[in-house]
Amino acid sequence: EAQVTQNPRYLITVTGKKLTVTCSQNMNHEYMSWYRQDPGLGLRQIYYSMNVEVTDKGDVPEGYKVSRKEKRNFPLILESPSPNQTSLYFCASSFSPRRNTDTQYFGPGTRLTVL
Amino acid sequence: DQQVKQNSPSLSVQEGRISILNCDYTNSMFDYFLWYKKYPAEGPTFLISISSIKDKNEDGRFTVFLNKSAKHLSLHIVPSQPGDSAVYFCAASGDFNKFYFGSGTKLNVKP
């Protein structure tokens, strides 16, 4: 089954404790991206990657890191989480997100709470 | 400041009638627009898109209209069905594959 998977789905942590949210896709997509969803703000793009070893900042990259060592994986790293990073996070992937015949496929989301 | 805005947080429509969801954007460099639907506890799923060279795109019950001069797009759902009840996000993109989403409109289709 074609899908984007995220782990963990739920995470409660404390300020300053490094964490990684994994994202994996099995569709051989080149493009991958991370978003956060907050009430009243919709989805905001954190980072995206056009291919292996190619990453770029989205709209809200501060406090986050990403890496793209393999095509299928795109982990999101919070080196020192803070309470304002409490949010719902989505990973997405696509062959080419701007082609009319293609679009981004989203994972199920990771609910992160930073105390 | 948000570059894509959905000013109606919610919309309630009777089954069988038309649902019209609206979206405004501020960046004239945006040239590709999308609508996504999101059910609770799931990720968004793609619904329909339109490029700036068109002013209308249809896919079954869903039609997206783009008014570039007004920087406005809308999604029409005809006829609306209870299964359409969800949160709808509009999104826009210019160059470089960055995407900007609106805050969402929660649609409730009443049987």
Side-chain angles (χ1 to χ4, degrees), chain A residues 18-110:
Chain A
K18 181 180 179 180
L19 66 92
T20 299
V21 184
T22 65
C23 173
S24 182
Q25 49 93 5
N26 61 0
M27 295 169 278
N28 201 35
H29 286 164
E30 293 182 351
Y31 180 94
M32 296 186 76
S33 184
W34 276 102
Y35 297 87
R36 59 178 288 174
Q37 183 187 355
D38 301 289
L41 296 175
L43 285 89
R44 292 179 293 168
Q45 193 171 32
I46 302 171
Y47 270 95
Y48 64 95
S49 169
M50 295 298 296
N51 213 326
V52 175
E53 302 294 357
V54 180
T55 63
D56 216 335
K57 295 178 181 179
D59 206 25
V60 288
E62 295 79 19
Y64 304 95
K65 284 176 59 177
V66 292
S67 70
R68 188 93 182 272
K69 293 184 172 55
E70 304 167 280
K71 198 172 188 178
R72 62 182 294 133
N73 296 323
F74 190 44
L76 179 69
I77 303 155
L78 285 72
E79 296 267 1
S80 182
S82 62
N84 65 11
Q85 293 178 297
T86 293
S87 187
L88 179 58
Y89 291 86
F90 291 101
C91 179
S93 74
S94 172
F95 280 115
S96 172
R98 287 175 52 83
R99 277 200 332 234
N100 284 348
T101 56
D102 193 26
T103 185
Q104 295 181 70
Y105 295 84
F106 282 80
T110 295

Side-chain angles (χ1 to χ4, degrees), chain B residues 5 10 19 23 43 45 51-53 55 58 68 75 88-89 91 94-95 98-99 103 108-110:
Chain B
K5 294 181 181 177
S10 63
S19 295
C23 179
T45 55
S51 80
S52 59
I53 62 173
D55 54 19
E58 278 183 88
K68 290 184 288 293
L75 174 68
Y88 290 78
F89 291 99
D95 289 336
K98 292 176 75 168
F99 287 83
S103 54
N108 178 34
V109 180
K110 297 177 285 187

